[in-house]
Amino acid sequence: MRWVTRENVHLDRVASPWLIRRFIDPEAEFLFIDPERPWPDDAIPFALPGAELGMHDENGSTFDKLMAHYRIDDPVVADIAGVVRAGIRHLFGEDQAGASAETVGLGVALLALSEGVMVVAPGDHRNVAASTVVYDALYAYFWGRRHDPRVGPASFWERMAALRESCPSFPCGLERK
């Protein structure tokens, strides 16, 4: 299926193609357009003004809207959604009430990585491709936290060995649809 969004993807509009490819449509083709121009009738619009799967707003991020619309109830994806929301809130200087310190910190880091990838991988298709490893790694991180929540330097290497053993293929715990 073809999907269409605004050009110059960043954070939420990079996370959303990752979510689409990993959980909704593995063969997704993405089009990036000027938001002032009409979108193709044969493409599913997301993060476009007036689209059912609209832009981030008071009702949540585009990532949240995709999760709800396609009934994605993976708790690890929900963890990532929180990080995406925290990154958006940080960008706009909004209140982070209700988000944990870890989620806020990861949101700020994800925002920084998103901005950096825009610089080192210019162009929307290159940006999405380069960002995939970031979101796969974030998925693996949260999967690992749920699988073995130990923290601290005393258990780090043991924990990493156990996670690698229980995760024979990358990304850990991620079932491709």
Side-chain angles (χ1 to χ4, degrees):
M1 188 65 172
R2 289 172 21 130
W3 297 75
V4 62
T5 192
R6 300 184 326 270
E7 60 193 354
N8 297 312
V9 294
H10 178 253
L11 192 60
D12 193 19
R13 286 180 297 117
V14 172
S16 294
W18 174 85
L19 180 66
I20 290 165
R21 280 211 177 118
R22 292 290 190 242
F23 290 88
I24 300 167
D25 180 4
E27 302 300 320
E29 174 188 344
F30 295 102
L31 307 172
F32 305 101
I33 64 167
D34 177 337
E36 300 300 318
R37 301 185 61 163
W39 58 71
D41 291 335
D42 66 339
I44 299 171
F46 66 99
L48 282 165
E52 179 182 356
L53 299 167
M55 304 180 321
H56 53 78
D57 57 21
E58 65 278 352
N59 297 318
S61 67
T62 303
F63 194 94
D64 289 321
K65 293 170 186 178
L66 283 162
M67 284 181 63
H69 184 83
Y70 289 97
R71 296 183 177 97
I72 299 168
D73 62 359
D74 182 322
V76 175
V77 174
D79 291 339
I80 294 170
V83 172
V84 170
R85 280 191 303 275
I88 293 166
R89 288 179 182 149
H90 181 76
L91 176 66
F92 290 103
E94 296 173 357
D95 185 12
Q96 296 280 7
S100 70
E102 178 186 40
T103 298
V104 172
L106 288 171
V108 172
L110 188 60
L111 175 62
L113 289 169
S114 183
E115 291 179 10
V117 172
M118 286 182 81
V119 173
V120 300
D124 293 320
H125 290 286
R126 288 182 64 202
N127 183 342
V128 169
S131 297
T132 296
V133 71
V134 172
Y135 288 92
D136 283 347
L138 193 56
Y139 189 97
Y141 169 77
F142 280 121
W143 173 85
R145 284 282 164 230
R146 288 176 175 278
H147 191 74
D148 185 343
R150 293 179 290 169
V151 296
S155 63
F156 179 79
W157 292 112
E158 181 182 320
R159 180 175 176 272
M160 286 295 103
L163 289 173
R164 287 176 177 163
E165 185 175 312
S166 64
C167 178
S169 62
F170 183 81
C172 304
L174 181 58
E175 297 293 325
R176 292 181 190 227
K177 301 282 185 220

